[in-house]
Amino acid sequence: MKTTAVYPGSFDPVTNGHLDIIKRASGIFDKVYVAILTNSAKKPHFSLEQKIDWLKRSTADIPNVEIASFSGLLVNYANEIGANVIIKGLRAMSDFEYEFQMALTNRKLSPNIETMFLMTNNKYSYLSSSIVKEIAHLGGSLDGLVPNFMIEEINSEIKKKQ
Ligand code: PNS
């Protein structure tokens, strides 16, 4: 049986922590959809087109990864694309409570889909998209936090909005 997984998120922007999870998931599943939520309650800083572009360029060397977007319920989207696994990254115990609730909710909504957690690489355990945006806003270095090609682009997008 082919295993298809979906790795959902806001990816506002994608970080090296996300990319570590994507790479590791691509070694486990036949196909990994990285799915950007488009109707988030949190207003995204970067456009969907920009986020897709950054994710596509960051994963160009991983053939079984596809970048996509979705709105509405994650389990509906997972069923549409034939994914039987939802992948989530866990950084710390503080992520666990919320993710546990989401995993149980998603199982209630669609018992055929399993949520699987990958522990973050400890060198990225502090990293989040919000941290990246805050550092960029305050003029700090994004070195090692996102792919190098994104650094100039993030800084110039953030400057435009300041
Ligand atoms: O990167 P994020 O913002 O932590 O990702 C959150 C995401 C996209 C995984 C979560 O908000 C989600 O799954 N949204 C879709 C709506 C849904 O299915 N919610 C769960 C049942 S209420």
Side-chain angles (χ1 to χ4, degrees), residues 28-56:
I28 301 169
F29 300 99
D30 294 310
K31 175 102 188 175
V32 177
Y33 286 87
V34 178
I36 307 166
L37 178 69
T38 59
N39 64 334
S40 175
K42 303 181 240 170
K43 197 179 157 3
H45 193 99
F46 300 106
S47 70
L48 176 63
E49 293 67 33
Q50 177 71 87
K51 293 194 282 186
I52 290 176
D53 177 62
W54 281 335
L55 270 162
K56 280 195 171 164

Side-chain angles (χ1 to χ4, degrees), residues 94-158:
S94 50
D95 284 343
F96 181 77
E97 213 169 314
Y98 173 73
E99 292 299 346
F100 186 59
Q101 184 183 21
M102 280 293 124
L104 294 184
T105 305
N106 285 331
R107 188 196 288 159
K108 166 79 177 73
L109 292 170
S110 191
N112 58 315
I113 297 174
E114 284 293 343
T115 298
M116 294 183 70
F117 294 100
L118 293 186
M119 295 303 148
T120 188
N121 184 321
N122 63 0
K123 68 182 176 184
Y124 300 128
S125 60
Y126 64 94
L127 185 53
S128 69
S129 299
S130 306
I131 289 277
V132 166
K133 282 179 283 200
E134 176 148 5
I135 293 172
H137 269 294
L138 299 173
S141 167
L142 296 180
D143 211 21
L145 307 186
V146 296
N148 287 340
F149 78 86
M150 286 174 54
I151 293 179
E152 272 300 310
E153 296 177 19
I154 291 178
N155 285 332
S156 92
E157 284 292 322
I158 296 253

Side-chain angles (χ1 to χ4, degrees), residues 4-8 31-35 74 77-78 81 83 85-87:
T4 299
V6 58
Y7 178 44
K31 175 102 188 175
V32 177
Y33 286 87
V34 178
L74 174 61
Y77 176 69
I81 59 172
V85 174
I86 292 169
I87 298 163

Side-chain angles (χ1 to χ4, degrees), residues 6-26:
V6 58
Y7 178 44
S10 304
F11 304 107
D12 192 44
V14 64
T15 69
N16 283 345
H18 294 129
L19 291 168
D20 177 63
I21 298 282
I22 294 168
K23 276 187 200 125
R24 286 158 55 204
S26 74

